[in-house]
Amino acid sequence: MTQKQIRLNSFQMCAPVHNWAGLWRLPGDEAVNYNQLSYWTRMAETAERGLLDAIFIADVFGVYDVYGGSPEAALRAGAQTPDLDPVIPVSAMAQVTKHLGFGITANLSYEHPYQFARRFSTLDHLTGGRIGWNIVTGYLQSGARGMGREAQTEHDARYDVAEDFMAACYKLWEHSWEDGAAVRDRARGVFTDLARVRRVTHEGPHFRVDGVHLCEPSPQRTPVLFQAGSSERGLAFAARHAECVFINGPTMEAAARTVKKLRALAVGAGRAPEDLVIFLAANLIIAPTRAEADELHAEYARHLDAAGQLALVSGWTGIDLSQLSPDDVVPFARSNAIRSTLENMTVKAPKPARVRDLVALTAVGARAPFITGTPAEAADALLEWADVTGVDGFNCARLSVPATLNSIVDLLVPELQSRGRYKIAYAEGTLREKLNGGAGPRLAPTHPGRRASFDG
């Protein structure tokens, strides 16, 4: 029986630190150059050389100031601050690649559908249909304050806002312009066939739209929709809207439960289980020999910044970890931050994490697989996770730049290819066509975006 090939994304962020504070200090690490365009174009070229499906770019709105009630630890460590707008480098990255996709995180809580829809249509045009949107609603109070609000909207209410936002965007992307409306008829002096363009209206509880979409249809119309929420409300939202879902999983059992639940919820939403392409986070340290891999792991651990790491985790969970000792167990409490992160450390973990566990380069601190070894050992581990849990692939987190991505491209990918578990060439078409097996560049007919009415 032919075994399913797995997919790989490179998980990045436009900041000196992504998930692991302090690693920018590693000898030869290039994360300090995150604000140079060549940093991003070289990364894109490397990822395409390894036939990766996409570079998935995380983002956050606000600074991490939960730890000690101050942003000092995060700022000192460069922990996701400073943080560039991830939209900006993508056009240049697309210019040096042909097939690589781009999953861009964008927070809808501080956007309006009318302007947002234009931005992502523009990106889809300029990349030839290689854009995905990771839908997030935010979790930092500092971001809300920065935007002039007294507080972040309550967790579940943010998904109410998201539902309304999506409904408006679908109308603009899918229903305002018919295919071929931009006729470009030089002889008649007609650029747009008026009969093929509609004004859309949306009167929702949070957003109002009355107008024609500002862009003609892009190759995919709606960008490929990513979603990463794993709370109960987040899973329901993903099952309804997402085409790709990004999950964490502290154990194979926990990840398998999430996958099974997502696919069942998709069926309940009138979609097929295979409509969801599910990526699991993975942290990889790969070297030609086990001794070299273990040595790298030890070196990375020596450079970890404990205060910066706790600042990140405090922001993710909404719990001020500066008030706990290293041996204290992380408590579970309902918060307005990322509920699934705290659940994976507490109620869904094999045993509750201690504070000291969060500043170690282990699966506990990662909230996901942490794999150190040779290419064969890394491939063994990833394939076991995929086969046991049912995930389709992995979002491979950045540890060292460019070492992590280079090791995936030069060591892991050839090992997977030798086993027939990874592609040897890109399929043609848009990002959606590459992910859905060539079924078409547009949303599936069962997707709510295709079913949405344009006039209300």
Side-chain angles (χ1 to χ4, degrees):
M1 183 177 68
T2 302
Q3 292 180 296
K4 184 175 69 175
Q5 292 184 344
I6 66 169
R7 301 183 177 279
L8 296 176
N9 296 329
S10 178
F11 193 21
Q12 301 286 341
M13 190 170 188
C14 295
V17 165
H18 183 197
N19 283 338
W20 298 103
L23 298 193
W24 62 270
R25 300 176 297 162
L26 288 162
D29 194 276
E30 297 178 6
V32 292
N33 300 322
Y34 77 98
N35 57 352
Q36 298 179 17
L37 194 57
S38 59
Y39 171 97
W40 294 99
T41 54
R42 285 197 303 271
M43 179 190 298
E45 290 172 324
T46 301
E48 179 149 278
R49 179 166 59 82
L51 304 178
L52 270 64
D53 290 281
I55 291 179
F56 184 104
I57 309 177
D59 191 38
V60 69
F61 210 76
V63 297
Y64 285 80
D65 60 359
V66 175
Y67 184 75
S70 165
E72 290 180 4
L75 287 168
R76 187 177 294 112
Q80 298 193 5
T81 307
D83 177 29
L84 301 180
D85 186 332
V87 166
I88 306 302
V90 169
S91 291
M93 296 166 81
Q95 182 67 21
V96 299
T97 57
K98 181 181 178 183
H99 293 284
L100 183 70
F102 304 96
I104 305 171
T105 301
N107 185 337
L108 60 79
S109 294
Y110 308 117
E111 298 274 4
H112 188 279
Y114 191 61
Q115 64 187 14
F116 181 87
R118 180 177 71 161
R119 187 180 313 132
F120 271 72
S121 290
T122 301
L123 283 169
D124 202 50
H125 276 295
L126 298 182
T127 62
R130 291 188 277 150
I131 288 298
W133 169 31
N134 178 36
I135 307 162
V136 299
T137 62
Y139 54 89
L140 293 178
Q141 296 285 9
S142 60
R145 293 193 300 270
M147 290 299 293
R149 303 183 184 182
E150 291 186 4
Q152 174 82 313
T153 304
E154 189 273 331
H155 178 277
D156 285 1
R158 295 200 296 268
Y159 282 104
D160 294 333
V161 175
E163 288 284 354
D164 195 31
F165 192 97
M166 299 305 297
C169 282
Y170 291 146
K171 292 174 185 178
L172 292 163
W173 283 325
E174 295 289 333
H175 302 286
S176 185
W177 292 65
E178 293 181 12
D179 291 338
V183 293
R184 292 172 166 81
D185 188 329
R186 296 177 186 271
R188 292 189 301 135
V190 175
F191 191 90
T192 303
D193 181 349
L194 302 184
R196 301 187 193 179
V197 180
R198 301 185 184 96
R199 176 178 125 248
V200 300
T201 59
H202 177 79
E203 293 280 348
H206 303 280
F207 299 101
R208 297 179 63 191
V209 174
D210 183 352
V212 171
H213 182 37
L214 294 169
C215 292
E216 63 179 282
S218 68
Q220 299 183 121
R221 286 185 174 259
T222 296
V224 173
L225 300 173
F226 290 76
Q227 215 275 330
S230 294
S231 65
E232 290 299 314
R233 189 65 191 275
L235 291 173
F237 182 89
R240 174 170 160 77
H241 296 280
E243 297 169 277
C244 299
V245 185
F246 174 34
I247 68 171
N248 282 300
T251 65
M252 290 187 191
E253 294 75 16
R257 285 195 299 270
T258 301
V259 170
K260 183 177 180 180
K261 186 166 188 176
L262 276 166
R263 298 202 191 281
L265 287 168
V267 172
R271 304 173 70 196
E274 60 271 18
D275 284 350
L276 302 182
V277 178
I278 302 176
F279 290 93
L280 176 67
N283 295 263
L284 307 173
I285 299 177
I286 306 171
T289 69
R290 182 56 188 257
E292 290 173 291
D294 288 340
E295 185 178 340
L296 278 176
H297 195 157
E299 182 179 21
Y300 291 1
R302 286 193 296 272
H303 285 84
L304 198 66
D305 185 314
Q309 193 65 23
L310 291 177
L312 285 174
V313 180
S314 292
W316 297 334
T317 61
I319 294 175
D320 182 2
L321 296 172
S322 73
Q323 303 300 309
L324 304 177
S325 72
D327 288 318
D328 283 341
V329 170
V330 178
F332 176 76
R334 288 286 177 185
S335 78
N336 206 19
I338 309 176
R339 288 185 181 171
S340 58
T341 295
L342 186 56
E343 289 172 351
N344 283 337
M345 293 177 178
T346 55
V347 296
K348 292 184 179 179
K351 62 178 184 178
R354 298 173 301 166
V355 173
R356 69 168 66 254
D357 297 328
L358 306 180
V359 292
L361 286 174
T362 66
V364 177
R367 311 170 315 285
F370 200 111
I371 299 164
T372 300
T374 65
E377 289 170 334
D380 286 343
L382 288 177
L383 293 175
E384 182 182 13
W385 274 86
D387 294 340
V388 170
T389 65
V391 299
D392 299 288
F394 299 89
N395 258 5
C396 301
R398 155 192 140 192
L399 284 94
S400 180
V401 181
T404 300
L405 180 56
N406 286 346
S407 70
I408 291 167
V409 168
D410 296 327
L411 300 176
L412 176 63
V413 166
E415 178 66 27
L416 291 169
Q417 288 172 327
S418 72
R419 304 182 188 200
R421 299 297 299 270
Y422 198 77
K423 59 183 173 290
I424 59 172
Y426 281 111
E428 293 299 322
T430 64
L431 176 59
R432 179 172 285 116
E433 289 172 290
K434 288 176 168 65
L435 292 170
N436 69 14
R442 293 190 62 183
L443 289 171
T446 55
H447 193 281
R450 289 289 293 275
R451 302 195 302 260
S453 166
F454 70 86
D455 60 353

